[in-house]
Amino acid sequence: MKRLFAVICALMLLPTLANADNDMISVSELRKQVERMERWKQNYKDDYGRSIGVDVEPIMNKIEKVPILMMDSPVISEENVYNAFQQESVSVLENDVAIDYTCIDPETGGNVLISLVKEDNWLYPTPECGDIDLQISILDEKRDISSELVVLDGFFASPNEIDMNHSYLGEKSLTVNDGMKLIERRMNELFPDYDLKFELFRFGVVNASEPYYSCAIRQKIYGIPILMCAKDPILNAGKEKLGFDPQKEWNSQRLKYGTYDKPSWVVKLSDKQFEILCRPLKIKNVIVDDVPLCGIEQVIHSIEEAIQKGYVRNVYTLRFGYCCYLDVNENIILCPIWEVECDYMFKPEQNMADYKENSEVPIPSRLYYRTMIVNAQTGEFMNPVELKEKLLDCPKIITWEDIQ
């Protein structure tokens, strides 16, 4: 009788799975859904009686397809450093941690420092290569701060909250768009065979003696931003925060793709300085040319369940893009996800401490801020508490052939 009941249950489940596959859509249809939706605005009450309000505009680029990609993370060549600055008078200093290149920038006359973290350094070893730190500064008299300067200290604003064609450093200074173009040009000089594209992730202005843009950026592939890596949801999460011992798998994964947490992928930019810390990736192989995706309602429903259970407290942004995973052979694989910037609690029954200072700092610097993952193909919310050792596993790829 028990076996018969199990068979009946399995048969009842089959149509549900089939319907889930049939509900999968193209990226163009998903984009239309996002545009029709405009904003996700709703009030919720979780299982512990807490009220959570959501009011965000899902961020999704206009893209034609969503390929699954295998990426490479090669080291910048010394030849590229010389070619980028059009001279042979580059000084090289090597220590236990990094290799530093210094020269004068022929374009601005500024001092250039390019620091490449060594693979076998003792401070923070990396499997293949480390982040690239490029700094260009122009020695000049410091100007007075403009009284018209709009100050957005830290990574305050999302790109849809600012005017990309406006200069927030004064009337005659760089606009945000000008800054993004400068970033692409400078980075492609160092990586001429990459065809690097970038987009703004978060934006702010630091009101220093020489004000500058403080931006978090992301590399784009096929118009899709590489938003994060699989380990981001549990960065710096020890036993006290988690409520259980961290999984050994969480600490064993080697970060071949770098990190997407501050200070990585951060740019300091003005007319007087240019500094970026990043690790660009390059396409090694196209695994699948295009894949189907789940609808936006399914994505939101899975986040709503996490809100209901008490894990997600505040939602700041919802973005479509890629997440870096490692396959069984430690190849870097880009898979489509929805990134949820939110306040997140690993212990759903626990209340967030109410600190005045917490509300006054930029969102990514807040005490409970995390970037969480929703699988863009299945709509599954990747909850570390429930997935544990499976959190970092590269997702199974669903192709168009699979759902026909």
Side-chain angles (χ1 to χ4, degrees):
M1 180 62 70
K2 289 182 178 179
R3 181 177 296 178
L4 177 61
F5 179 74
V7 171
I8 292 173
C9 289
L11 290 173
M12 291 174 64
L13 184 61
L14 287 176
T16 304
L17 293 175
N19 288 338
D21 285 344
N22 290 336
D23 288 342
M24 298 191 78
I25 56 177
S26 68
V27 67
S28 59
E29 181 57 36
L30 177 59
R31 172 71 188 181
K32 291 176 184 177
Q33 288 185 1
V34 171
E35 290 176 344
R36 287 195 296 266
M37 179 184 192
E38 294 185 354
R39 298 191 73 83
W40 170 21
K41 189 174 182 179
Q42 190 63 262
N43 293 316
Y44 302 93
K45 192 173 287 290
D46 69 15
D47 291 342
Y48 301 89
R50 294 177 293 244
S51 297
I52 294 97
V54 178
D55 185 7
V56 297
E57 177 188 357
I59 301 173
M60 182 180 186
N61 293 345
K62 293 181 179 179
I63 49 183
E64 297 179 355
K65 61 181 181 179
V66 182
I68 305 298
L69 304 170
M70 183 182 293
M71 306 298 289
D72 199 5
S73 181
V75 181
I76 186 173
S77 71
E78 191 168 291
E79 181 183 1
N80 283 358
V81 175
Y82 291 128
N83 291 338
F85 296 99
Q86 305 171 14
Q87 56 183 301
E88 296 181 359
S89 58
V90 177
S91 299
V92 183
L93 178 63
E94 185 172 351
N95 55 44
D96 292 339
V97 175
I99 303 174
D100 293 338
Y101 299 89
T102 58
C103 65
I104 300 298
D105 179 27
E107 180 179 329
T108 64
N111 296 307
V112 177
L113 168 63
I114 301 175
S115 186
L116 308 181
V117 177
K118 296 172 68 175
E119 176 183 346
D120 55 351
N121 78 86
W122 59 269
L123 188 58
Y124 34 83
T126 56
E128 291 188 352
C129 64
D131 286 343
I132 296 157
D133 187 0
L134 168 62
Q135 302 176 37
I136 302 174
S137 60
I138 302 172
L139 298 177
D140 199 355
E141 294 182 2
K142 301 297 184 183
R143 63 179 173 86
D144 293 333
I145 299 173
S146 169
S147 59
E148 300 178 356
L149 180 65
V150 178
V151 179
L152 302 169
D153 285 324
F155 304 145
F156 182 82
S158 294
N160 57 342
E161 298 171 334
I162 64 170
D163 181 356
M164 296 290 290
N165 293 311
H166 180 71
S167 172
Y168 292 89
L169 298 178
E171 185 177 346
K172 297 182 180 180
S173 297
L174 287 171
T175 67
V176 184
N177 264 332
D178 289 339
M180 293 304 298
K181 291 176 182 176
L182 179 60
I183 292 168
E184 287 192 355
R185 181 169 64 80
R186 284 291 190 184
M187 294 307 295
N188 278 295
E189 287 172 352
L190 288 172
F191 298 91
D193 55 339
Y194 275 44
D195 189 26
L196 292 173
K197 304 291 183 184
F198 300 98
E199 74 173 44
L200 190 65
F201 182 78
R202 280 200 171 272
F203 171 83
V205 175
V206 174
N207 196 0
S209 57
E210 181 66 46
Y212 60 87
Y213 295 141
S214 179
C215 305
I217 65 169
R218 295 293 184 262
Q219 182 182 350
K220 289 192 298 186
I221 305 287
Y222 288 96
I224 304 171
I226 307 174
L227 295 173
M228 60 188 302
C229 65
K231 196 170 182 176
D232 284 356
I234 42 88
L235 280 175
N236 304 316
K239 183 177 181 180
E240 184 177 349
K241 286 185 178 180
L242 293 169
F244 56 87
D245 289 322
Q247 304 297 295
K248 63 180 181 179
E249 289 82 3
W250 293 359
N251 296 320
S252 62
Q253 182 157 162
R254 305 167 78 194
L255 297 180
K256 294 177 67 174
Y257 38 60
T259 64
Y260 289 80
D261 186 41
K262 188 178 179 181
S264 294
W265 290 101
V266 170
V267 180
K268 297 178 181 179
L269 185 64
S270 73
D271 299 307
K272 306 293 182 181
Q273 67 172 316
F274 180 101
E275 181 176 351
I276 183 171
L277 184 67
C278 65
R279 190 192 303 186
L281 300 178
K282 182 181 180 181
I283 296 177
K284 185 176 182 179
N285 186 29
V286 178
I287 299 173
V288 182
D289 187 60
D290 184 40
V291 295
L293 306 165
C294 69
I296 187 64
E297 289 187 1
Q298 189 173 345
V299 171
I300 290 176
H301 178 68
S302 70
I303 305 171
E304 288 175 328
E305 289 184 336
I307 293 173
Q308 182 68 40
K309 293 177 181 178
Y311 292 109
V312 174
R313 306 296 171 83
N314 295 301
V315 177
Y316 299 115
T317 61
L318 179 62
R319 289 183 172 91
F320 179 84
Y322 278 130
C323 179
C324 294
Y325 288 90
L326 294 184
D327 66 11
V328 292
N329 297 315
E330 291 202 345
N331 295 306
I332 305 168
I333 308 297
L334 297 187
C335 296
I337 55 106
W338 284 92
E339 179 196 57
V340 188
E341 284 189 286
C342 62
D343 286 332
Y344 185 87
M345 299 294 286
F346 294 100
K347 303 175 185 177
E349 72 281 358
Q350 185 177 355
N351 291 323
M352 295 194 304
D354 186 15
Y355 298 116
K356 178 184 177 183
E357 296 80 3
N358 192 51
S359 62
E360 294 175 347
V361 300
I363 287 171
S365 300
R366 293 181 183 175
L367 184 60
Y368 303 105
Y369 169 87
R370 290 201 174 270
T371 51
M372 308 306 291
I373 299 169
V374 177
N375 186 313
Q377 290 204 282
T378 65
E380 179 185 5
F381 184 88
M382 311 304 287
N383 189 337
V385 176
E386 297 174 355
L387 292 171
K388 291 189 170 65
E389 73 278 0
K390 296 182 180 180
L391 177 68
L392 305 184
D393 292 352
C394 189
K396 179 182 181 301
I397 305 304
I398 304 171
T399 67
W400 286 106
E401 289 75 17
D402 292 334
I403 64 173
Q404 288 177 353

